[in-house]
Amino acid sequence: MKKIRLVVGIAIGLIILTMGVVAVVRLKKQSILSPLGETPTQKAQLLTWEDPAGFKFSYSDGIKINPHEEDTANYAHLELTSTGHLGGILIWMKDTNYKDLEDWTKKDPSASSGQVFDSELGGKPAKKVAYMSPQKLVVATIDVDVLVLVEVSLDEEGYWQGVNDQILSSLEFIPLGGEAEPSSTAPGSGQGGGGVIEEEEEIVE
């Protein structure tokens, strides 16, 4: 009887030991695949907007773009919004009489009321203007006689700052038909032709 109990005890012990070894191996594998308990990397979808005014940029899926086709005074007037997030982004292309960006920062009432920094937009020299109340960032460049503005109204959680960074880093000016260099179309012409042309992927950790 004692022998039977001994054998049963040894068998139970071996089973417990085996289960413990398996658990340790699994934990080690998980720590290798996801060190320090980090969430596995996910891929967020990026869309690309190409505008008939002669530029394109990528942005996160879930953002709505209103091209304001009723605006016939400007080359481009895009409004980016997202459900559940206050704030948004405006992208403008409009005629200007300013000689250059320095002239714009000195004479434009809105530009002169903020803090100005050197920047870049679409491979062109630009100016970034920061406003405190309300919190807003404006990046501007001049393409021939056209003023290009990217305005972001910031939110507390920083959502629109991230979207704005993606747009600024991906924005490119596109030569229009028959042009060697990027330029713009006449105000109000073909604004309804803008839209999503492709999809990309972005790594989000």
Side-chain angles (χ1 to χ4, degrees):
M1 196 66 182
K2 290 183 179 180
K3 290 184 178 180
I4 294 175
R5 290 179 179 177
L6 180 62
V7 171
V8 171
I10 293 174
I12 293 174
L14 289 173
I15 292 173
I16 295 174
L17 179 62
T18 302
M19 292 175 64
V21 171
V22 171
V24 170
V25 171
R26 286 181 178 177
L27 287 174
K28 286 185 177 181
K29 286 184 177 179
Q30 289 179 357
S31 63
I32 293 173
L33 294 175
S34 182
L36 303 178
E38 293 179 356
T39 303
T41 300
Q42 298 179 346
K43 290 185 177 181
Q45 191 177 53
L46 287 179
L47 306 178
T48 298
W49 176 275
E50 183 172 324
D51 199 272
F55 64 92
K56 68 177 181 178
F57 60 87
S58 58
Y59 62 99
S60 301
D61 189 16
I63 292 177
K64 298 178 181 178
I65 298 182
N66 181 355
H68 285 283
E69 296 178 15
E70 76 283 358
D71 183 355
T72 58
N74 296 295
Y75 299 105
H77 178 183
L78 304 181
E79 182 179 9
L80 285 70
T81 58
S82 179
T83 303
H85 297 282
L86 297 175
I89 294 176
L90 291 172
I91 301 177
W92 303 86
M93 288 186 73
K94 55 182 70 176
D95 281 321
T96 181
N97 293 321
Y98 297 116
K99 296 181 297 183
D100 50 34
L101 290 171
E102 295 294 337
D103 193 36
W104 173 73
T105 56
K106 292 177 182 178
K107 297 180 180 179
D108 188 284
S110 61
S112 59
S113 63
Q115 190 172 3
V116 181
F117 306 89
D118 290 331
S119 187
E120 182 179 292
L121 182 62
K124 297 178 180 294
K127 292 291 184 182
K128 178 185 292 185
V129 185
Y131 304 88
M132 295 302 296
S133 183
Q135 286 193 327
K136 183 173 71 171
L137 289 175
V138 177
V139 176
T141 190
I142 293 179
D143 181 19
V144 191
D145 295 325
V146 176
L147 179 65
V148 183
L149 300 170
V150 180
E151 306 178 9
V152 55
S153 298
L154 301 174
D155 56 328
E156 293 183 357
E157 63 187 52
Y159 174 81
W160 286 111
Q161 178 67 68
V163 175
N164 189 60
D165 290 344
Q166 173 62 40
I167 291 174
L168 295 179
S169 64
S170 63
L171 190 143
E172 298 178 29
F173 293 105
I174 308 169
L176 300 177
E179 295 178 342
E181 296 295 331
S183 185
S184 57
T185 61
S189 64
Q191 290 204 6
V196 180
I197 60 171
E198 62 183 68
E199 297 182 357
E200 303 171 357
E201 288 185 341
E202 176 189 24
I203 301 300
V204 177
E205 297 183 354

